[in-house]
């Protein structure tokens, strides 16, 4: 158990809808990361927050947004969903933002129908 | 553009048959490299961090090594429970507080009893 909690585990929704994925980092970790994993693309970095502040952005679509709250949990909001957004979404956390390994949750599997 | 490539994509081994997985990278400035193990439906689990060429780390039947151009994950006398996808990820020098890992697509290892 990595200590990173993600909810829900599974989400099935229709195209055009909006969903929110939630992540609680490991106790003491200040940085939260979101990754998308699809079969053909592997793990793709979306966005990083550190202590409530956005620090790095990767290949995140404009339809997607995230935030980190004062209690350090994070939410990833996905809107105007398309079939191609179906994927596993992982949250990870780390204590520092230099050479600390990331610790991953078990992901949310999103299926858009 | 920074890139990381893993080979082979898939590997089937008989129990006890040792082999190596490769992770090659082209990055502008490498601070270090991680190895992760991912089981189906789970998040990646941290295995090793390597920082400099010549460094080696070991854990049970796994040994990770790093050169200036690539990293190897050696698996000695594997068992069926070693079956998983193995991912490598590098972390470059980056701006203050910005910490973005780039993952390879992984090697799916199957160990047959």
């Amino acid at each position: 158990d990595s200590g990173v909690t993600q909810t829900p585990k599974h989400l099935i929704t229709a195209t055009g809808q909006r969903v929110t994925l939630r992540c609680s980092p490991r106790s003491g970790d200040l940085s939260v990361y979101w990754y998308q994993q699809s079969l053909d693309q592997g793990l793709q970095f979306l966005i990083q927050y550190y202590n409530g502040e956005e620090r790095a952005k990767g290949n995140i679509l404009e339809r997607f947004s995230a935030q980190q709250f004062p209690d350090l949990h994070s939410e990833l909001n996905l809107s105007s969903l398309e079939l191609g957004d179906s994927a596993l979404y992982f949250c990870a956390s780390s204590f520092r933002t230099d050479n600390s390994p990331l610790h991953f949750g078990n992901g949310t599997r999103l299926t858009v129908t | 553009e920074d890139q990381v490539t893993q080979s082979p994509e898939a590997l089937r081994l008989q129990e006890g048959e040792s082999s190596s997985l490769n992770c090659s990278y082209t990055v502008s400035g490498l601070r270090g490299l991680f190895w992760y193990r991912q089981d189906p439906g789970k998040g990646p689990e941290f295995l090793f961090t390597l920082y400099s060429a010549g460094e080696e780390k070991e854990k049970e039947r796994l040994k990770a090594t790093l050169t200036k151009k690539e990293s190897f994950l050696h698996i000695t006398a594997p068992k069926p429970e070693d079956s998983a996808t193995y991912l490598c990820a590098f972390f470059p020098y980056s701006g203050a507080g910005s910490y973005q890992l780039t993952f390879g697509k992984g090697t799916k290892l199957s160990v047959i009893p």
Side-chain angles (χ1 to χ4, degrees):
Chain A
D1 183 8
S2 68
V4 178
T5 304
Q6 289 188 248
T7 57
K9 290 185 180 178
H10 302 278
L11 204 46
I12 301 174
T13 189
T15 54
Q17 295 298 304
R18 171 190 170 95
V19 297
T20 297
L21 313 184
R22 182 187 169 99
C23 169
S24 294
R26 286 191 323 165
S27 177
D29 284 356
L30 299 177
S31 199
V32 169
Y33 312 78
W34 286 97
Y35 280 81
Q36 180 192 56
Q37 187 176 45
S38 57
L39 281 174
D40 56 343
Q41 289 296 318
L43 270 168
Q44 298 290 311
F45 171 71
L46 295 178
I47 198 164
Q48 175 207 355
Y49 281 85
Y50 177 79
N51 205 19
E53 189 179 308
E54 181 185 305
R55 286 295 179 90
K57 234 173 182 177
N59 300 319
I60 187 167
L61 299 171
E62 285 193 12
R63 301 183 284 108
F64 296 0
S65 64
Q67 54 184 328
Q68 186 180 28
F69 294 88
D71 67 352
L72 301 178
H73 92 271
S74 178
E75 291 181 356
L76 179 67
N77 299 297
L78 314 177
S79 62
S80 302
L81 285 167
E82 302 175 358
L83 295 178
D85 297 327
S86 296
L88 265 169
Y89 291 84
F90 286 104
C91 170
S93 70
S94 69
F95 175 60
R96 298 186 319 210
T97 59
D98 43 26
N99 55 3
S100 299
L102 271 56
H103 297 274
F104 286 81
N106 282 327
T108 293
R109 181 175 294 279
L110 174 67
T111 303
V112 183
T113 62
Chain B
E1 182 183 333
D2 294 341
Q3 283 191 339
V4 58
T5 303
Q6 290 190 246
S7 62
E9 289 186 14
L11 181 63
R12 283 171 62 95
L13 298 174
Q14 291 292 320
E15 185 173 359
E17 179 187 0
S18 301
S19 187
S20 296
L21 314 182
N22 177 265
C23 170
S24 63
Y25 55 88
T26 52
V27 301
S28 51
L30 180 77
R31 288 193 65 183
L33 184 141
F34 296 124
W35 280 98
Y36 283 84
R37 168 193 171 123
Q38 186 175 21
D39 293 299
K42 298 286 185 69
E45 175 189 346
F46 169 70
L47 293 173
F48 303 110
T49 309
L50 300 167
Y51 294 105
S52 56
E55 188 175 2
E56 298 183 352
K57 294 275 179 73
E58 279 189 74
K59 180 180 179 180
E60 295 181 359
R61 296 175 292 282
L62 301 177
K63 183 168 79 172
T65 62
L66 183 65
T67 72
K68 287 187 177 180
K69 294 285 187 185
E70 56 195 346
S71 178
F72 292 94
L73 185 66
H74 307 278
I75 303 176
T76 302
K79 298 182 177 182
E81 52 262 41
D82 295 322
S83 297
T85 297
Y86 290 86
L87 303 167
C88 68
F90 70 84
F91 52 99
Y93 289 98
S94 57
S98 167
Y99 188 40
Q100 182 173 332
L101 302 190
T102 300
F103 281 84
K105 292 187 177 181
T107 293
K108 184 175 181 179
L109 174 66
S110 302
V111 181
I112 314 302

